[in-house]
Amino acid sequence: MLIINTISEIRAYVREQKRDGKAIGFVPTMGALHEGHLSLIKESTDRSLTTICSIFVNPTQFNNAEDLEKYPRTFEADVEMLERAGCAAVFAPTAEIMYPKGTPLGFDFSPLDQIMEGKFRPGHFSGVGLVVNKLFNIVQPDQAFFGEKDFQQLAIIRKMVYDLDMPVEIVGCPILREANGLAMSSRNRRLSEHAKNEIAPAINQALMSTAQCLRRLGSLEKGRKAFDNVMSQHPEMELEYLEIVDTATLETVERLKLGQKVTVCVAAYLEGVRLIDNRTFSI
Amino acid sequence: MLIINTISEIRAYVREQKRDGKAIGFVPTMGALHEGHLSLIKESTDRSLTTICSIFVNPTQFNNAEDLEKYPRTFEADVEMLERAGCAAVFAPTAEIMYPKGTPLGFDFSPLDQIMEGKFRPGHFSGVGLVVNKLFNIVQPDQAFFGEKDFQQLAIIRKMVYDLDMPVEIVGCPILREANGLAMSSRNRRLSEHAKNEIAPAINQALMSTAQCLRRLGSLEKGRKAFDNVMSQHPEMELEYLEIVDTATLETVERLKLGQKVTVCVAAYLEGVRLIDNRTFSI
């Protein structure tokens, strides 16, 4: 597996692959890889694509300097995992390479970027759009793979690719969970064992309980109450938002309709770590 | 010369050209072509590029519905001129093809988009960025050619390509002028013969007078006064702005420095038509 740090080298590698008739599968990450990331790599290699993974903790998507600083960095372990997973090349640039000078342009994805993550992390999606757009222009993938855990991010990237006619197919891949239901996340490393095993899994339990309520009782109010019931057993967790949105439009659901596909999205803090999760289902 | 209306067909044409080892030169226009546009086509064909010209009056860059409606459309004549100029293909999509659904994303180029054109045409550069980004993703040119008459637009496109690592080289080409000095523009067609021949050329005269004053006397105030002296002889013209900016940064010049490269930019209304022009020179 190649490890490439510069834009010109990764461009040359991609050019060479394309000249040989190979299609490129791309998995952009911020490193601190887990099974969820590897499932994206696997999806790409299963499609016989030359698989490139980027590892770059992108400063422009962090609205909180402490969060950026504390983001886990495990480069050596990441490289080992990627090698075993059949990844062909890692692109790991520095911030100086990605942002050499000046304040870069911003993206306005409104109204998609005004809710949920966008509401609580101002500028976050502009930074996500920026780095993903750059990486797509550098790597020029035929297909790119994103986890559904970042549900709103996936919607925004799909919108960007659609609006800008970017020549890449976006593939969303299911959330991977620990045996106890906790959604896999690089941030889980920052939790104590107790929090990871005994408290954080309640987020998924609360989501499942909400889903059941919404489907069986058709009541948004009872769905929210079911969520609160589970979460209230864990006062260590501080809820940031719970949103029940239309899966296609991300608009807040005001009234449930039979057959409608909805996604319940949640963000909560535990031990100073911000965790997100979501569940999609039909009413 | 091919005339192509759909995204899939132009993509197929480009793919074919690249497979044959040809590089693509691209000239995006809104039609109503004049010698200025043809000089861009010539620059591209002189470089032995397969030259594609787009003709698309882009609604998202018009902040004024009447301006959009009145924008000249001369498709048959445009096609004839392009054919003679050695253009290989014209891409002429409809608005429905370029913007099939929903409100597209926006670009934030601040502070570059807050001054001059951006100040008087809110949303204009977001729309320009959007359509140029889309066209670049569709046509995937190796080089793209823009006139320096739209000085601020050129700066913003260069910024977009730089910030997003778009794999295209931007080539700026000099303003073409009528014998009387009037900068060539599609909008000139909307002027009466009298306005075009007797009044509008004063914009260029005022710019030259300003340039001379700034260089000889080194005084911003006297430069502005020289501009006003010429323009005041033509009360039919209404000045929108006169800006003296650093050519590289587009920042307003507060004090002239010897050797500094500056650009004097102007927008004025004549017979309800908005005209822009600029002159770049060293102090």
Side-chain angles (χ1 to χ4, degrees):
Chain A
M1 187 179 66
L2 290 171
I3 299 178
I4 295 173
N5 301 111
T6 69
I7 292 173
S8 59
E9 279 169 294
I10 189 79
R11 280 199 205 277
Y13 174 72
V14 167
R15 216 165 21 237
E16 193 183 280
Q17 290 296 311
K18 294 203 169 180
R19 201 161 38 218
D20 292 351
K22 306 272 182 57
I24 305 288
F26 180 46
V27 180
T29 81
M30 300 210 296
L33 303 184
H34 51 68
E35 290 296 321
H37 296 108
L38 295 187
S39 74
L40 306 179
I41 302 284
K42 182 165 187 311
E43 185 62 39
S44 175
T45 57
D46 280 356
R47 294 173 185 222
S48 305
L49 304 169
T50 294
T51 301
I52 299 175
C53 177
S54 65
I55 296 181
F56 178 58
V57 183
N58 173 40
T60 64
Q61 74 189 70
F62 284 85
N63 56 311
N64 178 327
E66 192 191 337
D67 191 27
L68 169 60
E69 194 200 318
K70 288 200 175 160
Y71 199 87
R73 285 151 173 97
T74 59
F75 189 71
E76 299 304 317
D78 293 348
V79 165
E80 228 169 82
M81 287 169 80
L82 289 172
E83 175 115 50
R84 261 181 292 149
C87 182
V90 177
F91 176 50
T94 61
E96 289 66 34
I97 282 178
M98 290 298 278
Y99 301 111
K101 70 167 189 195
T103 303
L105 61 80
F107 282 97
D108 175 359
F109 297 108
S110 55
L112 269 191
D113 59 359
Q114 302 300 306
I115 52 171
M116 301 197 287
E117 293 299 290
K119 187 168 165 186
F120 290 96
R121 304 184 69 186
H124 170 65
F125 285 119
S126 178
V128 168
L130 178 64
V131 77
V132 172
N133 197 299
K134 285 170 77 80
L135 289 168
F136 282 0
N137 283 329
I138 293 167
V139 174
Q140 298 187 40
D142 297 278
Q143 299 181 30
F145 301 84
F146 292 86
E148 289 173 352
K149 182 169 148 283
D150 292 294
F151 169 76
Q152 190 177 4
Q153 169 178 282
L154 180 54
I156 277 175
I157 288 166
R158 285 193 198 281
K159 177 179 172 60
M160 181 173 77
V161 166
Y162 180 87
D163 284 353
L164 297 180
D165 298 295
M166 301 190 87
V168 54
E169 183 193 337
I170 302 300
V171 183
C173 300
I175 299 175
L176 257 67
R177 298 181 181 280
E178 306 290 350
N180 61 22
L182 175 62
M184 291 190 187
S185 166
S186 303
R187 292 171 196 268
N188 293 351
R189 293 169 201 253
R190 291 179 50 205
L191 296 173
S192 69
E193 285 303 307
H194 173 70
K196 195 154 57 188
N197 298 324
E198 309 298 333
I199 307 172
I203 295 174
N204 176 53
Q205 288 154 19
L207 283 175
M208 288 200 299
S209 177
T210 307
Q212 206 171 43
C213 244
L214 293 176
R215 296 182 64 171
R216 286 203 190 153
L217 307 174
S219 156
L220 285 166
E221 200 194 337
K222 284 180 181 150
R224 291 185 157 276
K225 194 161 277 176
F227 187 90
D228 291 340
N229 280 345
V230 178
M231 293 293 278
S232 65
Q233 291 160 40
H234 301 280
E236 305 91 334
M237 271 195 292
E238 192 192 335
L239 184 68
E240 189 168 76
Y241 66 76
L242 167 71
E243 291 283 351
I244 303 164
V245 301
D246 184 281
T247 305
T249 66
L250 273 69
E251 279 166 16
T252 300
V253 174
E254 305 285 358
R255 234 170 53 171
L256 292 166
K257 278 177 288 226
L258 208 67
Q260 185 180 16
K261 216 169 160 187
V262 306
T263 302
V264 184
C265 299
V266 58
Y269 278 92
L270 175 58
E271 294 182 341
V273 181
R274 192 168 178 282
L275 302 172
I276 63 172
D277 199 354
N278 68 82
R279 284 257 169 196
T280 295
F281 50 92
S282 294
I283 298 297
Chain B
M1 186 179 66
L2 290 171
I3 299 177
I4 295 174
N5 302 112
T6 68
I7 293 173
S8 58
E9 279 169 294
I10 190 77
R11 280 200 205 275
Y13 174 72
V14 168
R15 215 165 22 237
E16 194 183 281
Q17 291 296 311
K18 294 203 170 180
R19 199 160 39 217
D20 293 352
K22 307 273 181 57
I24 306 287
F26 180 46
V27 180
T29 81
M30 299 211 295
L33 303 184
H34 50 68
E35 290 297 320
H37 296 108
L38 295 187
S39 75
L40 307 179
I41 301 285
K42 183 166 187 313
E43 185 63 40
S44 174
T45 57
D46 281 355
R47 294 173 183 220
S48 304
L49 304 168
T50 294
T51 302
I52 298 175
C53 177
S54 65
I55 296 181
F56 178 59
V57 183
N58 173 40
T60 64
Q61 74 189 70
F62 284 84
N63 56 311
N64 177 328
E66 193 191 337
D67 192 26
L68 169 60
E69 193 199 317
K70 288 199 175 161
Y71 199 87
R73 285 150 172 100
T74 59
F75 189 70
E76 298 305 316
D78 293 348
V79 165
E80 229 167 81
M81 287 169 80
L82 290 171
E83 175 114 50
R84 261 181 292 150
C87 181
V90 177
F91 176 50
T94 61
E96 289 66 34
I97 282 178
M98 290 298 278
Y99 302 110
K101 69 168 190 195
T103 304
L105 62 78
F107 282 97
D108 175 359
F109 297 108
S110 56
L112 268 191
D113 59 359
Q114 302 299 306
I115 52 170
M116 301 197 288
E117 293 299 290
K119 186 169 164 185
F120 290 96
R121 303 183 70 185
H124 170 63
F125 285 119
S126 178
V128 168
L130 178 63
V131 77
V132 172
N133 197 298
K134 286 171 77 81
L135 289 168
F136 282 179
N137 283 330
I138 292 166
V139 174
Q140 299 187 38
D142 297 278
Q143 300 181 29
F145 301 83
F146 293 85
E148 289 173 353
K149 184 171 147 281
D150 293 293
F151 169 76
Q152 191 177 2
Q153 169 178 282
L154 180 54
I156 278 175
I157 288 166
R158 284 193 199 281
K159 177 180 172 60
M160 181 173 77
V161 166
Y162 180 87
D163 284 352
L164 297 180
D165 298 295
M166 301 190 87
V168 54
E169 183 193 337
I170 301 300
V171 182
C173 300
I175 298 175
L176 258 67
R177 298 181 182 278
E178 306 290 349
N180 62 23
L182 175 62
M184 289 190 189
S185 166
S186 303
R187 292 172 196 267
N188 293 351
R189 292 170 202 251
R190 290 178 51 204
L191 296 174
S192 68
E193 285 302 307
H194 173 71
K196 194 153 58 189
N197 298 322
E198 309 298 332
I199 307 171
I203 295 173
N204 176 53
Q205 288 154 19
L207 283 175
M208 288 199 298
S209 178
T210 307
Q212 207 171 43
C213 244
L214 292 176
R215 297 184 65 173
R216 288 202 188 152
L217 307 175
S219 155
L220 286 166
E221 199 192 338
K222 284 179 181 152
R224 292 185 156 274
K225 194 161 275 176
F227 187 88
D228 292 339
N229 280 345
V230 179
M231 293 293 277
S232 65
Q233 292 159 39
H234 301 280
E236 305 91 332
M237 272 195 292
E238 193 192 334
L239 184 68
E240 191 169 76
Y241 66 77
L242 168 71
E243 292 283 351
I244 303 165
V245 302
D246 185 281
T247 305
T249 65
L250 274 68
E251 279 167 18
T252 299
V253 174
E254 305 283 358
R255 236 170 52 169
L256 292 167
K257 281 178 285 228
L258 208 68
Q260 184 181 17
K261 216 171 162 188
V262 306
T263 302
V264 184
C265 301
V266 58
Y269 279 92
L270 175 57
E271 294 183 337
V273 181
R274 192 168 179 282
L275 302 172
I276 63 172
D277 199 353
N278 68 82
R279 284 256 169 198
T280 295
F281 50 92
S282 294
I283 297 299

